[in-house]
């Protein structure tokens, strides 16, 4: 598949807390970073936009266990755990969209409460390539939202890893994205 004008790359939540050693570490999550770096290089070479989102919670977010949510505290705004991995080669001018910033509200999609849609429209984007963490939450919800909003969506299979609270969550998430009309491809298919 050839990337072309109208394409953008969205890098989802490559933050310390989702990586090995983090408070919500996802199995093998570090393996996606070199794949994403290769995608970033490709998009930059073709002068196509690269964007990123991050989980950016207040310290008492409602998704944390102590507040009745399913997760350990993670990605608290301004902390080391919320920073992007230093191994991720994001260009300095990458627009970053923060989500989950309101205490009472969970927001798994990069579109939820952000200016992402407006930014994509302004840049004339009609197809979004999405990779990052996690397959069963932020990637899934961002892909489904992108489709709903009329973008073609392409999931980068080898650039995403699942939390798998239940063992099949990642597999089911990919299935639901496919059913919604998203394309699933590996990075080697991209040129
Ligand atoms: C995410 C769990 C909790 C994600 C965010 O980025 O997929 N997962 N918060
Ligand atoms: Zn979160």
């Amino acid at each position: 598949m050839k990337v072309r004008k109208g394409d953008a790359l969205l890098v989802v939540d490559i933050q310390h807390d989702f990586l090995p050693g983090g408070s919500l570490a996802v199995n093998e999550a570090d393996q996606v970073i070199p794949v994403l770096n290769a995608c970033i290089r490709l998009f930059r070479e073709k002068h196509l936009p690269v964007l990123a989102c991050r989980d950016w919670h207040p310290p008492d977010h409602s998704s944390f266990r102590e507040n009745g949510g399913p997760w350990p505290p993670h990605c608290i705004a301004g902390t080391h755990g919320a920073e992007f991995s230093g191994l991720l080669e994001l260009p300095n001018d990458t627009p970053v969209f923060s989500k989950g910033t309101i205490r009472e509200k969970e927001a798994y999609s990069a579109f939820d409460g952000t200016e992402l849609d407006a930014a994509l429209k302004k840049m004339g984007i009609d197809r979004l390539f999405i990779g990052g963490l996690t397959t069963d939450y932020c990637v899934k919800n961002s892909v489904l939202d992108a489709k709903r909003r009329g973008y073609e969506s392409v999931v980068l299979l080898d650039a995403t890893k699942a939390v798998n609270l239940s063992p099949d969550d990642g597999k089911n998430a990919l299935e639901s994205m496919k059913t919604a009309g998203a394309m699933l491809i590996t990075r080697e298919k991209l040129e």
Side-chain angles (χ1 to χ4, degrees):
M1 173 185 262
K2 251 192 152 61
V3 294
R4 41 83 169 154
K5 194 164 172 290
D7 287 341
L9 173 65
L10 178 66
V11 178
V12 177
D13 298 5
I14 305 299
Q15 295 166 272
H16 290 137
D17 275 341
F18 294 123
L19 292 161
S23 66
L24 213 175
V26 172
N27 219 358
E28 304 180 329
D30 48 335
Q31 293 179 10
V32 308
I33 296 177
V35 183
L36 286 167
N37 284 340
C39 295
I40 291 167
R41 278 196 294 277
L42 173 71
F43 275 72
R44 294 293 282 192
E45 272 163 25
K46 309 262 179 182
H47 306 287
L48 298 171
V50 175
L51 309 101
C53 69
R54 62 184 179 185
D55 218 27
W56 199 246
H57 297 312
D60 57 350
H61 194 245
S62 55
S63 77
F64 299 169
R65 276 179 200 138
E66 63 217 47
N67 303 311
W71 308 115
H74 63 279
C75 298
I76 295 171
T79 64
H80 173 80
E83 275 170 28
F84 289 132
S85 165
L87 300 173
L88 183 69
E89 293 161 6
L90 271 186
N92 288 329
D93 58 352
T94 304
V96 175
F97 300 88
S98 301
K99 61 185 169 53
T101 59
I102 299 169
R103 201 204 89 87
E104 294 74 22
K105 202 172 168 300
E106 182 54 286
Y108 291 127
S109 163
F111 289 93
D112 194 344
T114 73
E115 295 296 312
L116 176 60
D117 191 45
L120 295 174
K121 291 225 162 72
K122 204 165 164 188
M123 294 185 295
I125 301 306
D126 62 8
R127 189 167 64 171
L128 198 54
F129 289 73
I130 302 181
L133 305 170
T134 61
T135 315
D136 32 359
Y137 291 91
C138 285
V139 169
K140 178 179 97 172
N141 285 279
S142 300
V143 167
L144 296 180
D145 253 1
K147 286 296 298 177
R148 257 181 235 124
R149 289 167 190 262
Y151 300 95
E152 278 310 312
S153 310
V154 184
V155 184
L156 299 163
L157 277 175
D158 46 349
T160 187
K161 294 285 178 189
V163 185
N164 284 330
L165 283 182
S166 293
D168 286 338
D169 285 356
K171 194 172 135 277
N172 292 335
L174 290 173
E175 202 54 50
S176 65
M177 291 185 261
K178 200 170 162 183
T179 302
M183 204 176 291
L184 313 182
I185 67 162
T186 54
R187 126 92 204 138
E188 56 168 15
K189 296 277 189 298
L190 264 192
E191 57 173 351

